[in-house]
Amino acid sequence: MDLQTVILGFLNDGPLTGYELSKRMDASVGFYWHATHPQIYTTLKSLAKKGLVDFTMEYQSGAPNKKIYSITDAGRDALFRNLQSETLKDEVKIPLLVAMYFGGELGPQYWRELLANHLDAQKAVLEQYRSLCESLPQTDPDRDLKQFLRYKTLDFGIGYQQFLIRWLEDILKEIGE
Amino acid sequence: MDLQTVILGFLNDGPLTGYELSKRMDASVGFYWHATHPQIYTTLKSLAKKGLVDFTMEYQSGAPNKKIYSITDAGRDALFRNLQSETLKDEVKIPLLVAMYFGGELGPQYWRELLANHLDAQKAVLEQYRSLCESLPQTDPDRDLKQFLRYKTLDFGIGYQQFLIRWLEDILKEIGE
DNA sequence: TTAACATATATAATATATTACATATATTTC
DNA sequence: GAAATATATGTAATATATTATATATGTTAA
């Protein structure tokens, strides 16, 4: 899986500008695949060079012009070929766990404070996912598999946050809030 | 958080060669911070250049020589400074979720098979973490905070796998195994 | 005894990603 | 009216990471 495939996936739903792509990504796939905007712009450029996407210019008087990107037939082929040939190996970096593994010497007071702050932040993220969830229609897999699977990726995010929050609360109980 | 800090963290427990570092990482911190061996060797080199680690050569007749790396006082300072100045923002890439988000068109049969295979693989990972867990002493935070926090990072891995497995099983039930 | 695998250390080429810089307008807030 | 923020698009410099290549020995299994 790479950013190219992610971008092709978004464009398979309809044409988008780089900016719209970036915003849409942050609001959906973002929590399990993040990309910054320079990355998105450069990847769009290289996808266009390969003929997997093309774009039309929308000239605007006053505001900067827009490049509206669309997926090509070759792009659609590449998308589904890539989706099926994936190793599905996660790439995960969780700095909190690294800090916990190596930072025992920082003392209980340090960890009480840091974990309490982290807990608050994670609760806020959970609420964010929950409000996103309300705006998403929940369907059964036989009616609309695509929508069902998309719903399930958000469900993953909610379940993960719940697990994280419980785990943090357990530790705080043990080291004494 | 960066690989430099992770390596300094390991060396703070005692001297290691690049190879040992790589193996130890895979067997502990690996599931929340992974690095390949070329990355480790080049990072060790740059840490040495900065004076945060040094090394002694162990000349071996027959077998290749070993470079045994140790952390310096400056390295220890850098380690604890870095550990405390972290943003703690996760960097997570989960290809399975991306594939689910974009791959609804691949059909229910495709997803049944893929998710069932993924479930088996994740169960194997859970067993691996569990056997690791048995060899690790569980202490209370007042007696040995360092060991307690290390234990908790493994506990996180186990809890995460359990959540993942339940989530996959739920989906398989819904799309009909 | 030959092949395969594990130990051990690296470099080179390439790919990917981040941070800082750069520009320009519209809208909202003080 | 000025400042801040959002929209919108990009480049440059740098940092980080992966894959392939290279070398050389010890150990284990067919």
Side-chain angles (χ1 to χ4, degrees), chain A residues 5 22 31 34 45 57 59 84 88 97 105 111 113:
Chain A
T5 307
S22 178
F31 81 89
H34 176 259
K45 210 176 179 177
M57 288 290 274
Y59 296 97
Q84 287 174 81
L88 302 181
L97 294 177
E105 280 95 332
W111 283 107
E113 260 178 58

Side-chain angles (χ1 to χ4, degrees), chain B residues 17 40 51-52 84 86 90 99 108 114 118 125 143 149 166:
Chain B
T17 68
I40 290 171
L52 303 180
Q84 287 176 79
E86 287 310 331
D90 297 354
L114 190 133
H118 201 67
V125 173
R143 291 268 287 274
L149 290 173
R166 271 199 309 276

Side-chain angles (χ1 to χ4, degrees), chain B residues 19 37 45 65 67 93:
Chain B
Y19 191 82
H37 80 266
K45 210 176 179 178
N65 298 325
K67 275 186 189 171
K93 289 185 179 176

Side-chain angles (χ1 to χ4, degrees), chain B residues 50-66:
Chain B
K50 290 181 192 170
L52 303 180
V53 304
D54 53 26
F55 61 88
T56 55
M57 289 289 274
E58 191 181 297
Y59 296 97
Q60 303 196 120
S61 58
N65 298 325
K66 285 183 177 182

Side-chain angles (χ1 to χ4, degrees), chain A residues 38-55:
Chain A
Q39 234 183 310
I40 290 171
Y41 284 112
T42 52
T43 305
L44 278 169
K45 210 176 179 177
S46 90
L47 283 170
K49 206 156 67 184
K50 289 181 194 171
L52 304 180
V53 304
D54 53 26
F55 60 88

Side-chain angles (χ1 to χ4, degrees), chain A:
Chain A
M1 185 69 62
D2 51 21
L3 184 56
Q4 293 195 14
T5 307
V6 176
I7 289 178
L8 290 172
F10 275 110
L11 294 179
N12 192 38
D13 283 346
L16 290 169
T17 67
Y19 190 82
E20 287 167 340
L21 202 45
S22 178
K23 293 285 138 179
R24 195 162 296 192
M25 222 170 135
D26 285 347
S28 59
V29 177
F31 81 89
Y32 47 82
W33 197 290
H34 176 259
T36 56
H37 81 266
Q39 234 183 310
I40 290 171
Y41 284 112
T42 52
T43 305
L44 278 169
K45 210 176 179 177
S46 90
L47 283 170
K49 206 156 67 184
K50 289 181 194 171
L52 304 180
V53 304
D54 53 26
F55 60 88
T56 55
M57 288 290 274
E58 192 181 295
Y59 296 97
Q60 303 197 120
S61 58
N65 299 325
K66 285 183 178 182
K67 273 186 189 170
I68 301 168
Y69 285 90
S70 304
I71 194 167
T72 63
D73 287 339
R76 230 177 301 269
D77 286 352
L79 169 61
F80 288 102
R81 202 167 49 244
N82 292 351
L83 284 178
Q84 287 174 81
S85 70
E86 289 310 333
T87 56
L88 302 181
K89 229 202 136 242
D90 297 354
E91 285 165 61
V92 169
K93 290 184 179 176
I94 309 177
L96 175 69
L97 294 177
V98 178
M100 280 176 68
Y101 194 88
F102 295 120
E105 280 95 332
L106 295 169
Q109 191 47 45
Y110 175 84
W111 283 107
R112 260 190 290 272
E113 260 178 58
L114 190 133
L115 292 172
N117 289 338
H118 201 68
L119 177 58
D120 288 343
Q122 295 309 313
K123 281 180 175 169
V125 173
L126 176 59
E127 282 320 303
Q128 203 186 308
Y129 289 172
R130 278 206 174 119
S131 65
L132 252 172
C133 193
E134 279 165 27
S135 65
L136 213 72
Q138 194 183 0
T139 54
D140 64 298
D142 306 319
R143 291 269 285 276
D144 188 347
L145 180 65
K146 191 171 168 176
Q147 195 51 47
F148 170 79
L149 290 173
R150 288 195 175 187
Y151 181 85
K152 281 296 167 186
T153 67
L154 183 53
D155 179 60
F156 178 96
I158 289 171
Y160 174 77
Q161 286 303 124
Q162 288 173 333
F163 153 67
L164 221 193
I165 287 166
R166 270 199 309 275
W167 179 78
L168 287 167
E169 285 173 341
D170 283 353
I171 297 175
L172 277 167
K173 248 174 246 160
E174 288 186 79
I175 63 173
E177 273 173 273

